Amino acid sequence: MNHNPVIVSGGGPVGLVAALALAEKGVNVVVLEACAEIPTDLRAGTFHPPTVEMLDTLSIGQELLKLGIKVSEWQVRDRKQGLIAQFDLGMIAGETSYPFRLHCEQHKLSRLAYQALQRFPNARVLFGHECVSFTQDEECVTVQVTSDGVTRNMQASYLIGADGVRSIVRKTANIEFEGFTWPERFLVFATTFDLKSCGFTGNAYIADPDEWAAIFVQPHNGPPGIYRIAFPIQPDQTDEEVLSDDYVQSRIQGFLLPDQTYDIPYRSVYRVHQRVAKNFRSGRILLAGDAAHVNNPLGGMGLNSGIHDAMNLAEKLTRVLLNNESTTLLDLYDRQRRLTNIEYVQAITIRNKKMLEERDPEIRAQRSQEMRDIASDPEKHRAFLMNSSMINSVRRAAQIQ
Ligand SMILES: Cc1cc2nc3c(=O)[nH]c(=O)nc-3n(C[C@H](O)[C@H](O)[C@H](O)COP(=O)(O)OP(=O)(O)OC[C@H]3O[C@@H](n4cnc5c(N)ncnc54)[C@H](O)[C@@H]3O)c2cc1C
């Protein structure tokens, strides 16, 4: 098909999945990735049922399913009281063919998508290429790209900004990133200690006013996998302090066996925001993933909603470019994905964080009781899972006209 390519700024998981979804339909696509290779640090690592369903429409779906760990039960715990409630995704097996969270490091999805893209003559992934600016008119977007110190122009039919939280595409388009940044940062580390031996399922959230935590098993190099744990750290704590062996050990000893020394092969610190771009479309510019919205990781929704953007946008861009359908479809993309991010992803992740960190003992006891009640009533249990597994947000998006 003879059209200027769609250029994707950013070869993270969202940009690469968007590119693959376009390439598989026959759209010409070029991915610009500033880094020399796919980063392998431990970031998001859980895929909810609708995300697995979407990814399974691509050629990489079955491969991803083989790489991941299927986690069908997850827990809400209290640091002092232990298990509060356990949720079973098998309860919504009538609503999805994928009644589990698929746990897998995001860089493995990126690599699969990158390898698949190499099989398409209509797709190119350019590492070490940074999108530095663009201009657009009615016909096309002219993207300025720097590589090896040389800047040149590339023509695109559309430019997708999938270039992460600091998106140069969003900034150049002058699109406001509305919301706030949490004062505390998150310490993320991983241990090879098998938390199953202490009664944990592959995904658990621990409530505590100061030391709440989120736990996700990741496949790593094979069973039993590696447990990735996120903790809050206070604004006055330095990276040096929180990344030290003593500090990390004290954090993990605080909720596991106090006398044991744990193997900690990975640790990092990151800042967390709740922000949504004021528009996901400006003419021929479209935002997706972290460039369009960011949230805290409690509920594992950030990357998932980015993949939902990628798939939604690829479907609409394909119809515009290959079927000559109206570009108003791209405004529908904005309405569907932006609204559901605000109504579901932002609302749920903020509520999750408040629930885990609640200080008032009475409110905490009340919330724990609510969780027990939900888990023990099959109808409430199912209704709760429909929201937390993001099925409702995807269905709601599909209803928006
Ligand atoms: C340390 C850390 C831990 C995290 N943990 C969790 C978690 O536990 N749970 C969760 O849900 N989410 C987590 N996240 C967020 C999650 O990783 C993101 O939601 C996800 O990576 C979004 O994917 P993306 O492709 O939109 O953006 P990114 O993964 O940020 O990818 C953007 C890509 O664009 C490239 N790029 C940037 N600027 C340019 C440019 N100008 N030109 C070309 N390329 C460019 C970058 O190099 C990068 O590869 C974490 C993030 C971090 C940083």
Side-chain angles (χ1 to χ4, degrees):
M1 185 78 192
N2 200 9
H3 57 254
N4 274 331
V6 172
I7 292 187
V8 182
S9 173
V14 172
L16 289 167
V17 166
L20 182 61
L22 288 164
E24 287 191 357
K25 295 286 185 221
V27 175
N28 302 331
V29 63
V30 176
V31 179
L32 306 173
E33 169 52 50
C35 293
E37 53 190 31
I38 293 169
T40 54
D41 52 342
L42 279 185
R43 298 190 182 185
T46 181
F47 298 99
H48 289 291
T51 316
V52 182
E53 190 170 332
M54 288 177 200
L55 291 171
D56 205 14
T57 63
L58 300 176
S59 53
I60 56 171
Q62 289 299 309
E63 201 61 35
L64 185 71
L65 277 159
K66 276 190 224 143
L67 284 179
I69 300 176
K70 291 176 185 165
V71 176
S72 51
E73 293 179 311
W74 59 275
Q75 302 174 330
V76 175
R77 294 175 156 261
D78 179 278
R79 180 176 284 267
K80 299 201 177 69
Q81 296 172 42
L83 182 64
I84 301 291
Q86 185 156 314
F87 294 94
D88 175 5
L89 283 140
M91 298 284 281
I92 53 167
E95 304 283 350
T96 171
S97 308
Y98 309 85
F100 48 83
R101 291 178 170 194
L102 186 73
H103 282 212
C104 183
E105 297 88 343
Q106 71 175 51
H107 61 82
K108 291 184 180 162
L109 169 64
S110 298
R111 184 155 302 285
L112 280 183
Y114 167 59
Q115 286 166 347
L117 279 163
Q118 288 176 302
R119 297 194 285 270
F120 288 89
N122 54 322
R124 280 191 300 156
V125 180
L126 305 176
F127 285 102
H129 284 65
E130 185 180 355
C131 165
V132 288
S133 191
F134 66 83
T135 55
Q136 61 169 323
D137 57 32
E138 282 186 7
E139 302 299 318
C140 69
V141 189
T142 304
V143 184
Q144 284 180 352
V145 183
T146 297
S147 169
D148 288 332
V150 179
T151 301
R152 65 190 167 112
N153 289 340
M154 293 173 76
Q155 303 277 307
S157 52
Y158 289 91
L159 172 63
I160 300 179
D163 44 0
V165 63
R166 294 191 194 91
S167 172
I168 195 75
V169 174
R170 187 188 66 239
K171 288 177 186 162
T172 307
N174 243 329
I175 298 175
E176 219 177 305
F177 208 24
E178 297 174 326
F180 64 91
T181 298
W182 296 101
E184 66 273 47
R185 290 176 301 151
F186 284 36
L187 167 65
V188 176
F189 59 83
T191 178
T192 51
F193 179 77
D194 187 0
L195 270 75
K196 260 201 216 117
S197 62
C198 297
F200 284 76
T201 48
N203 179 205
Y205 299 94
I206 304 177
D208 186 85
D210 301 305
E211 296 202 20
W212 51 264
I215 298 168
F216 297 85
V217 71
Q218 300 286 274
H220 194 50
N221 296 330
I226 195 167
Y227 284 81
R228 180 187 173 288
I229 307 176
F231 270 107
I233 51 168
Q234 293 316 307
D236 56 354
Q237 293 184 284
T238 62
D239 284 14
E240 196 187 3
E241 176 192 353
V242 300
L243 293 171
S244 69
D245 278 340
D246 284 353
Y247 187 82
V248 176
Q249 291 293 340
S250 73
R251 271 316 187 51
I252 190 166
Q253 284 161 348
F255 78 97
L256 289 177
L257 309 170
D259 299 328
Q260 180 156 337
T261 301
Y262 295 88
D263 173 38
I264 310 284
Y266 178 85
R267 61 195 79 178
S268 75
V269 170
Y270 86 112
R271 189 167 285 291
V272 183
H273 321 263
Q274 302 281 161
R275 293 183 187 273
V276 181
K278 201 173 175 103
N279 305 98
F280 285 11
R281 178 187 183 200
S282 169
R284 292 178 173 273
I285 309 306
L286 297 139
L287 300 180
D290 275 18
H293 46 75
V294 279
N295 55 269
N296 76 62
L298 302 173
M301 295 189 167
L303 175 58
N304 282 270
S305 55
I307 302 289
H308 302 176
D309 297 343
M311 298 300 291
N312 185 312
L313 179 56
E315 188 258 343
K316 292 182 169 63
L317 268 177
T318 301
R319 286 165 60 190
V320 168
L321 286 167
L322 301 189
N323 304 350
N324 248 334
E325 290 190 47
S326 166
T327 56
T328 56
L329 271 178
L330 304 176
D331 295 322
L332 183 59
Y333 164 73
D334 171 292
R335 286 198 297 282
Q336 291 182 332
R337 295 303 313 148
R338 185 171 179 277
L339 269 180
T340 45
N341 193 277
I342 294 169
E343 286 176 0
Y344 288 84
V345 175
Q346 299 297 324
I348 293 173
T349 55
I350 291 173
R351 196 166 64 227
N352 286 348
K353 183 167 180 292
K354 290 205 164 134
M355 184 186 85
L356 290 186
E357 68 189 6
E358 178 59 53
R359 304 201 84 83
D360 183 323
E362 264 179 45
I363 301 176
R364 283 177 52 202
Q366 193 187 326
R367 297 249 165 91
S368 295
Q369 193 52 46
E370 277 167 22
M371 284 290 127
R372 287 189 193 101
D373 291 346
I374 293 170
S376 60
D377 176 325
E379 211 165 300
K380 289 184 186 163
H381 194 131
R382 269 192 289 275
F384 180 75
L385 288 176
M386 290 297 281
N387 256 349
S388 59
S389 67
M390 302 185 84
I391 294 176
N392 281 346
S393 73
V394 172
R395 289 187 183 171
R396 165 87 176 111
Q399 283 166 356
I400 296 172
Q401 286 308 311

